[in-house]
Amino acid sequence: MRIFSGIQPTGRKHLGNYIGAVEQYVAGQQRGDGIYCIVDLHAITVPYDPAQLRRDVYDLAAVLLAAGIEPQRSILLRQSDVAEHTELQWLLMSSTAYGELTRMTQFKDKSAQHEFISAGLFGYPVLMAADILLYRTDQVPVGDDQRQHVELTRDVAQRFNARFGEVLVIPEGYYPPVGARIMDLQNPERKMSTTGGSPQGTVYVTDEPDVIIKKFRTAVTDSGREIRHHRDKPGVSNLLEILAAVRSSSVQELEREFDGVGYGDFKLAVGEAVAGYLAPVRERYAQLRADEPALERELERGAQRARGIASETMRAVREAMGVGRRAG
């Protein structure tokens, strides 16, 4: 089984990114052949700083390697190093309906945040589809907020195959059972976010333990004292989901464990658990991030391996569509 997922190099990675995506990448190495892509081309669809983008790519590469991505087992690459990503995006545009793109939730959300709306932002979902389909992907581990993009990818691939023949593999989304949607500690009805979240409500992978514990101590809970998972208790529910993900346990088990415990002690327990959970990654990250040439070498090795797979897919796509030089 081939597993693919992409992650944007935009800002520091937070707990939601780590549980919803990065941890799934590491676990995926046990299930199949992993291809993990730092999607820097997606990051330029909104205003950005070029120098910061380069730093963010190295930051993210260091986080992924520190978390346990093993280059000997998996492919770690930078999207812009493999030109087939953008070529396949253009070819897939012919199998994508304009109306489908206008209905994409992320386009609506992001376009509302910027005065200048690039055509790249509109075509972003097709590039994501190309990222996935380029590697004949079987499974896509993503956060819950990416379900719509995975479904579009499946629709585009099915439409392509119906028109041009069975060329593309139809991927399946893979969503973590708990912690798929980590919310802001200060605003538990809003997803944790580097750009749109609150500083005190966003826990970063590289935060020091005392900083993490302080953020959880000040986390918003709810009225009452009962620690249970319920839609009327978004703050407590968020903390239960975080602890369940960190401990690999069920929310029901935690409800029983913390029955009768006060909110203060509960928040401290969650904070200490998260601090311990992230500590090895933070320490390894500091070592890796200090050596940018080594990170660059890892990304280039990954790109070389990825090109071998991507070129085979593109030969089949071009031949099926009747574009470019005839194969063989």
Side-chain angles (χ1 to χ4, degrees):
M1 178 173 65
R2 180 165 291 155
I3 300 167
F4 174 91
S5 198
I7 184 168
Q8 280 208 48
T10 48
R12 296 168 65 193
K13 294 307 162 191
H14 55 69
L15 183 63
N17 300 137
Y18 192 82
I19 292 174
V22 177
E23 194 175 58
Q24 303 307 311
Y25 298 174
V26 177
Q29 295 179 124
Q30 304 296 326
R31 299 195 308 273
D33 298 325
I35 301 177
Y36 303 115
C37 186
I38 299 175
V39 290
D40 55 336
L41 297 179
H42 286 288
I44 67 173
T45 59
V46 296
Y48 74 100
D49 175 72
Q52 185 61 50
L53 177 60
R54 289 194 180 278
R55 289 192 292 271
D56 287 345
V57 167
Y58 290 134
D59 287 348
L60 180 52
V63 166
L64 293 173
L65 292 168
I69 295 297
E70 301 177 31
Q72 300 82 7
R73 301 173 61 185
S74 302
I75 296 175
L76 175 64
L77 74 144
R78 177 171 43 208
Q79 183 186 27
S80 59
D81 289 338
V82 180
E84 287 86 349
H85 283 263
T86 49
E87 181 184 1
L88 183 56
Q89 179 201 21
W90 180 253
L91 296 178
L92 291 178
M93 293 291 278
S94 66
S95 296
T96 308
Y98 172 82
E100 289 177 313
L101 298 183
T102 63
R103 292 190 292 271
M104 299 302 290
T105 302
Q106 280 203 352
F107 171 72
K108 294 177 182 178
D109 292 345
K110 288 190 176 182
S111 60
Q113 299 171 18
H114 302 284
E115 183 176 340
F116 174 77
I117 304 169
S118 72
L121 184 61
F122 186 71
Y124 179 116
V126 189
L127 180 55
M128 181 171 173
D131 297 337
I132 296 167
L133 298 172
L134 185 61
Y135 298 103
R136 302 182 184 274
T137 301
D138 298 301
Q139 191 180 89
V140 189
V142 291
D144 189 62
D145 61 329
Q146 295 296 319
R147 286 180 185 269
Q148 190 182 31
H149 283 137
V150 174
E151 289 306 312
L152 177 70
T153 299
R154 289 171 53 83
D155 291 343
V156 169
Q158 289 166 350
R159 194 175 298 126
F160 182 98
N161 287 349
R163 182 177 177 187
F164 298 111
E166 296 294 321
V167 176
L168 301 175
V169 173
I170 311 299
E172 296 284 346
Y174 179 82
Y175 309 95
V178 294
R181 195 171 177 82
I182 301 299
M183 312 306 281
D184 190 289
L185 299 184
Q186 294 298 315
N187 184 2
E189 295 186 351
R190 185 169 184 173
K191 191 177 71 167
M192 190 176 286
S193 170
T194 302
T195 54
S198 64
Q200 192 63 18
T202 305
V203 178
Y204 295 104
V205 173
T206 55
D207 277 345
E208 293 292 332
D210 59 334
V211 173
I212 294 173
I213 292 171
K214 183 178 180 180
K215 288 180 178 180
F216 276 97
R217 278 186 178 276
T218 61
V220 170
T221 48
D222 312 283
S223 59
R225 293 178 53 83
E226 192 176 12
I227 296 175
R228 65 188 179 94
H229 193 280
H230 192 274
R231 63 184 179 183
D232 294 334
K233 300 175 74 66
V236 170
S237 296
N238 185 41
L239 295 177
L240 282 168
E241 289 201 20
I242 290 171
L243 188 56
V246 167
R247 284 193 183 177
S248 298
S249 61
S250 73
V251 168
Q252 293 72 26
E253 290 171 338
L254 295 176
E255 287 177 327
R256 291 191 293 271
E257 178 182 344
F258 289 95
D259 183 30
V261 175
Y263 282 169
D265 290 339
F266 173 57
K267 290 192 289 185
L268 176 60
V270 179
E272 289 177 342
V274 171
Y277 168 75
L278 293 177
V281 180
R282 186 189 70 255
E283 294 166 5
R284 178 66 176 144
Y285 165 85
Q287 298 171 355
L288 293 166
R289 185 61 183 86
D291 192 347
E292 288 188 0
L295 292 171
E296 188 63 48
R297 288 193 295 271
E298 289 292 358
L299 292 173
E300 177 52 31
R301 279 194 287 266
Q304 289 177 357
R305 294 170 62 195
R307 290 186 201 109
I309 302 169
S311 61
E312 292 180 8
T313 301
M314 289 311 304
R315 277 195 293 271
V317 168
R318 293 189 204 104
E319 182 68 14
M321 295 185 71
V323 299
R325 187 176 66 180
R326 184 180 292 277

